[in-house]
């Protein structure tokens, strides 16, 4: 005979979940990796927002006497060739990474959502044309496309954002288009038409908001990807230019010359990139499971 | 009373809706004859039940009358005014007089809007009242359909199926329509809830002098709410008469079969059952002659060749069958 602890079973099934805090506690227990991801992301965002208050030094302040100094009490992650504090530079690098990530998502997400919505809504030749353009965009590898963009537009923060947001457009457009195709046949959309609403209102107020849930997941994944692409572009010298502290460029500048003499110049930016990408991916995975009722087991 | 008031509120004549289907780019395009010449009228304060099995085109009739679909042929008159070819802009004011209640209470409400918002949006779209007046009106509608005012801020997923259907009814009522088209409004509900919703609809009709086009596949439900009933089969009306005549003196073999499928809540009653064989033929290729001949137990040679017209069998009793 097996004793069933009903209370424990109910808690496991989430039956007690009522308030937001309970929900948070429940999901934390259910998705521990996601919770770790969420904590990493929270630290990442916090660091980016309050970089000026957290960093012990000015990230741009050079100090000849501190050149290539090993990690110590004053410079806990050491100093680079120009004697700039690595810890402060990494903290400020979070700001660059987050800016690039969020801005590229907003830019690419908005354009992609509009293209997808119009494509799924208007259908016909517009849809056909847009889908073929998207096919072409998807056929190009993301990094190569970003490289060409960055190379032709020149390295700057804005151009990096544009270069990274362009590969996002086809993904968002595809997701929004497919949701739109099924939503446009839903009775509540018909009800909106029967009420005499304009097609624009129907599309923007009844169809578009319902396509957003799958995008949230896409966006968290994109945040990680954007950080990585920015780092790669900067590594190749086509990303955010000096003197902005970019994790990718910190890595590239020091990798070749100083990896033997000052390995902390390579280790810490690398660690920052890995951690940020790892965190966003863990969080995105958990979010996908939570938002998709079919994934809840 | 003048003539205009005595004319039917909604009059539909010779309505046809054909959907083109593409089979391949070389073969000639075929058509689905979803609705193939349907005529009926609804008077003020009256309910017309439209029955038929799934796929017979009854929902298409509802949507075409609302001009959610454009009719292929025929015309629709609301209060004597022909609305068949009105443009989208000209249709807008007309939409205040015609509303719809859907079958599925789950997919008919936008999951991202609160229940109150869903109802209020109807008023907002037609620029009715100030925000405060609209809130009051929505609260009034909520109470009228048996929901609590406090539920206005809840989202659709927080309601049960029956409650959701009530939200749908409140939405349909918001603009004070004259005709409400119920597209199987109770088919997706539990039997006990069905009765509640039907009673609500009948109370509203008595109170507001509403007219209903009540689409259903269940004769038992239609019997309760309708004044007159039209039976549809494969895009056509086969029998059209008042409720009492239909139930006591059905003339079309299809109506007969439908009636014998209505359950009687008494296990001791034995009756002759007419069980139809086979399926409804495809509306892409409707059979020649009488559409029903493939399943009709009485079919004769003539039924296979010649299409029976909808003719008067008795006073206000139309039947389309060669054998009557």
């Amino acid at each position: 005979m097996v004793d069933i602890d009903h209370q424990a079973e109910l808690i496991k099934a989430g039956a007690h979940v009522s308030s937001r805090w309970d929900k948070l506690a429940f999901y934390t227990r259910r998705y521990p990796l996601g919770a770790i991801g969420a904590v990493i992301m929270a630290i990442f965002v916090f660091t980016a927002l309050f970089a000026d208050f957290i960093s012990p030094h000015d990230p741009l302040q050079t100090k000849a006497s501190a050149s290539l100094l090993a990690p110590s009490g004053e410079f806990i992650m050491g100093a680079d060739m120009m004697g700039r504090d690595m810890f402060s530079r990494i903290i400020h690098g979070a700001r660059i990474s987050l800016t690039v990530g969020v801005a590229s998502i907003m830019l690419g997400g908005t354009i992609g959502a509009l293209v997808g919505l119009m494509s799924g809504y208007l259908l016909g030749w517009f849809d056909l044309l847009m889908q073929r353009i998207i096919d072409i965009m998807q056929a190009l590898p993301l990094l190569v496309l970003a490289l060409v963009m960055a190379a032709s537009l020149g390295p700057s923060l804005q151009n990096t954002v544009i270069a990274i947001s362009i590969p996002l457009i086809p993904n968002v457009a595809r997701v929004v288009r497919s949701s739109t195709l099924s939503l446009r046949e839903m009775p509540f959309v018909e009800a909106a038409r029967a009420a005499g609403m304009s097609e624009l209102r129907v599309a923007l107020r009844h169809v578009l908001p319902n396509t957003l849930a799958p995008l949230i997941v896409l966006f968290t994944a994109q945040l990680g990807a954007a950080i990585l692409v920015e780092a790669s572009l900067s590594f190749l010298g086509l990303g955010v230019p000096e003197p902005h502290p970019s994790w990718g460029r910190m890595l590239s500048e020091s990798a070749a010359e100083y990896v033997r003499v000052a390995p902390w110049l390579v280790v810490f930016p690398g660690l920052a990139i890995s951690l940020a990408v790892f965190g966003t991916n863990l969080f995105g995975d958990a979010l996908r499971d939570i938002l998709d009722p079919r994934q809840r087991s | 009373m003048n003539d205009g008031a005595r004319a039917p509120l909604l009059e539909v004549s010779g309505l046809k809706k054909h959907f083109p289907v593409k089979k391949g780019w070389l073969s000639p395009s075929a058509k689905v004859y979803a609705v193939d010449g349907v005529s009926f009228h609804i008077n003020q304060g009256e309910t017309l039940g439209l029955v038929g099995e799934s796929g017979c085109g009854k929902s298409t009739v509802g949507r075409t009358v609302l001009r959610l679909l454009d009719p292929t042929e025929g015309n629709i008159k609301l209060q004597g005014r022909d609305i068949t070819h009105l443009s989208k802009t000209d249709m807008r004011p007309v939409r205040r007089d015609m509303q719809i209640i859907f079958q599925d209470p789950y997919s008919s409400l936008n999951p991202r809007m609160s229940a109150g918002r869903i109802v209020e949006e109807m008023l907002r779209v037609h620029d009715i009242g100030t925000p405060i007046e609209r809130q009051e009106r929505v609260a009034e509608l909520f109470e009228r359909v048996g929901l609590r005012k406090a539920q206005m801020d809840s989202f659709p997923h927080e309601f049960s199926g029956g409650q959701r259907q009530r939200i749908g009814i409140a939405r349909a009522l918001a603009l004070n329509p004259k005709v409400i088209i119920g597209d199987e409004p109770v088919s997706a509900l539990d039997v006990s809830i069905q009765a509640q919703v039907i009673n609500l609809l009948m109370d509203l009709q008595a109170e507001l002098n509403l007219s209903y086009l009540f689409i259903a596949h269940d004769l038992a439900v239609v019997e309760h709410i309708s004044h007159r009933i039209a039976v549809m089969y494969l895009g056509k009306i086969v029998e059209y008469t008042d409720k009492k005549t239909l139930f006591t003196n059905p003339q079309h073999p299809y109506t007969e079969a439908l009636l014998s499928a209505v359950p009687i809540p008494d296990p001791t009653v034995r009756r002759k059952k007419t069980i139809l064989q086979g399926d409804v033929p495809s509306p892409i290729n409707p059979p020649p002659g009488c559409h029903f001949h493939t399943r009709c137990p009485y079919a004769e040679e003539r039924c296979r060749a010649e299409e029976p017209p909808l003719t008067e069998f008795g006073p206000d009793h139309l039947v389309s069958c060669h054998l009557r």
Side-chain angles (χ1 to χ4, degrees):
Chain A
M1 183 88 188
V2 183
D3 275 325
I4 295 168
D5 183 347
H6 290 283
Q7 203 55 41
E9 289 297 320
L10 279 175
I11 287 172
K12 242 193 270 173
H16 64 296
V17 168
S18 54
S19 75
R20 267 157 208 244
W21 286 111
D22 282 351
K23 224 178 216 166
L24 195 66
F26 171 70
Y27 283 130
T28 306
R29 217 166 309 137
R30 174 66 67 83
Y31 301 100
L33 285 178
I36 293 171
V39 169
I40 294 173
M41 270 187 79
I43 293 172
F44 174 51
V45 172
F46 179 83
T47 312
L49 288 178
F50 300 102
D52 291 331
F53 302 100
I54 303 168
S55 57
H57 297 271
D58 182 345
L60 307 180
Q61 178 69 52
T62 55
K63 193 175 172 190
S65 62
S67 179
L68 297 180
L69 215 61
S72 64
E74 198 195 349
F75 302 108
I76 55 172
M77 288 184 183
D80 67 4
M81 209 267 279
M82 293 195 245
R84 294 177 296 195
D85 178 33
M86 279 306 284
F87 185 52
S88 303
R89 284 178 70 73
I90 282 180
I91 287 172
H92 280 267
R95 183 177 277 181
I96 298 285
S97 292
L98 191 73
T99 309
V100 169
V102 170
S104 69
I105 286 168
M106 283 188 354
L107 185 67
T110 311
I111 298 173
L114 280 179
V115 168
L117 187 69
M118 283 170 74
S119 219
Y121 213 86
L122 300 176
L123 296 175
W125 64 268
F126 180 85
D127 181 41
L128 199 73
L129 187 72
M130 279 300 149
Q131 291 311 304
R132 295 298 79 75
I133 291 174
I134 282 168
D135 281 342
I136 294 168
M137 285 172 78
Q138 273 189 325
L140 289 169
L142 187 148
L143 194 58
V144 173
L145 191 63
L147 261 177
V148 171
M149 292 293 304
S152 57
L153 295 171
S156 79
L157 187 61
Q158 286 104 301
N159 291 347
T160 308
V161 168
I162 294 172
I164 293 174
S165 59
I166 283 175
L168 178 63
I169 295 172
N171 295 341
V172 175
R174 279 269 151 89
V175 171
V176 171
R177 176 179 178 268
S178 68
S179 314
T180 304
L181 284 180
S182 61
L183 283 165
R184 70 201 299 268
E185 306 294 334
M186 294 286 272
F188 71 81
V189 171
E190 257 187 320
R193 289 210 183 96
M197 288 177 209
S198 64
E199 288 301 320
L200 192 67
R201 192 186 174 93
V202 174
L204 292 181
R205 293 201 34 96
H206 291 268
V207 177
L208 187 64
N210 284 294
T211 62
L212 296 183
L215 287 184
I216 292 171
V217 177
L218 197 70
F219 287 163
T220 51
Q222 176 65 20
L223 195 59
I227 294 168
L228 216 53
V229 175
E230 187 272 326
S232 316
L233 285 178
S234 296
F235 186 85
L236 297 165
L238 292 165
V240 185
E242 283 276 23
H244 299 293
S246 149
W247 291 343
R249 215 191 43 256
M250 282 187 243
L251 201 62
S252 69
E253 277 173 355
S254 38
E257 295 169 54
Y258 308 113
V259 68
R260 281 160 203 270
V261 285
W264 54 88
L265 295 186
V266 183
V267 172
F268 290 116
L271 221 55
I273 294 170
S274 314
L275 210 60
V277 174
F278 183 60
T280 51
N281 284 354
L282 285 182
F283 183 66
D285 276 357
L287 204 62
R288 186 198 57 215
D289 291 355
I290 291 168
L291 290 177
D292 185 355
R294 282 164 304 177
Q295 295 267 346
R296 278 181 218 158
S297 47
Chain B
M1 246 190 226
N2 59 25
D3 265 3
R6 245 177 284 135
L9 187 64
L10 179 71
E11 196 175 5
V12 171
S13 46
L15 190 71
K16 287 186 185 180
K17 178 67 197 174
H18 302 165
F19 296 100
V21 277
K22 254 207 150 131
K23 284 176 172 170
W25 62 280
L26 272 181
S27 55
S29 62
K31 272 181 188 163
V32 177
Y33 296 88
V35 178
D36 206 16
V38 162
S39 307
F40 59 84
H41 71 268
I42 305 174
N43 297 318
Q44 177 114 39
E46 186 191 45
T47 302
L48 175 70
L50 189 60
V51 240
E53 58 202 297
S54 42
C56 73
K58 53 194 192 302
S59 291
T60 309
V61 169
R63 279 168 174 69
T64 313
V65 168
L66 277 170
R67 290 285 318 277
L68 290 174
L69 296 171
D70 282 323
T72 311
E73 240 179 74
N75 59 68
I76 306 153
K77 276 185 187 161
L78 185 70
Q79 295 176 292
R81 182 180 176 207
D82 193 333
I83 61 161
T84 325
H85 302 290
L86 287 188
S87 69
K88 263 204 156 114
T89 332
D90 293 336
M91 251 331 265
R92 265 173 68 92
V94 178
R95 297 209 178 277
R96 292 174 65 159
D97 292 333
M98 284 200 297
Q99 276 303 314
I100 180 165
I101 302 169
F102 292 93
Q103 171 174 16
D104 183 0
Y106 291 88
S107 59
S108 59
L109 303 175
N110 187 341
R112 298 207 159 249
M113 277 192 190
S114 71
R117 243 337 273 244
I118 288 172
V119 178
E120 192 231 336
E121 203 189 15
M122 304 291 283
L123 303 169
R124 188 198 299 245
V125 168
H126 288 272
D127 290 321
I128 298 170
T130 62
I132 296 160
E133 285 167 3
R134 289 201 290 258
Q135 283 301 314
E136 281 166 3
R137 170 86 174 123
V138 175
E140 185 191 307
L141 284 164
F142 263 56
E143 298 200 325
R144 185 62 206 85
V145 299
L147 294 166
R148 281 177 291 113
K149 253 201 295 206
Q151 290 172 308
M152 278 165 60
D153 294 326
S154 304
F155 281 82
H157 69 264
E158 296 171 72
F159 293 91
S160 69
Q163 286 175 322
R164 284 161 159 260
Q165 206 57 311
R166 287 173 195 269
I167 300 171
I169 294 171
R171 170 173 64 189
L173 286 178
L175 295 169
N176 276 324
K178 299 196 168 64
V179 190
I180 292 182
I181 291 171
D183 186 9
E184 308 217 25
V186 298
S187 308
L189 306 174
D190 283 350
V191 176
S192 59
I193 313 284
Q194 281 191 358
Q196 288 176 14
V197 171
I198 286 182
N199 287 336
L200 172 64
L201 288 173
M202 290 174 76
D203 289 348
L204 290 169
Q205 179 166 52
E207 199 178 305
L208 305 168
N209 204 16
L210 290 170
S211 305
Y212 293 133
L213 173 63
F214 194 93
I215 299 166
H217 60 250
D218 181 352
L219 267 177
V221 167
V222 171
E223 181 184 10
H224 195 60
I225 193 169
S226 305
H227 300 100
R228 286 180 302 123
I229 296 173
V231 179
M232 254 184 104
Y233 186 79
L234 217 62
K236 285 185 195 303
I237 289 180
V238 293
E239 188 156 6
Y240 178 49
T241 181
D242 61 277
K243 171 169 77 181
K244 196 162 160 257
T245 318
L246 190 92
F247 279 85
T248 53
N249 185 21
Q251 287 304 312
H252 198 278
Y254 182 61
T255 317
E256 216 172 80
L258 277 185
L259 282 174
S260 87
V262 175
I264 298 171
D266 180 353
T268 58
V269 174
R270 291 270 170 267
R271 60 177 170 178
K272 188 184 134 238
K273 281 216 169 174
T274 319
I275 295 168
L276 291 181
Q277 301 299 316
D279 268 327
V280 189
S282 159
I284 295 180
N285 240 326
C290 173
H291 282 181
F292 189 56
H293 82 251
T294 52
R295 301 168 79 193
C296 183
Y298 317 112
E300 288 172 358
E301 204 44 59
R302 189 168 154 216
C303 304
R304 283 179 257 277
E306 211 180 302
E307 199 176 315
L310 196 61
T311 47
E312 200 137 327
F313 173 78
D316 283 329
H317 189 171
L318 299 178
V319 184
S320 93
C321 183
H322 288 308
L323 308 172
R324 306 293 162 191

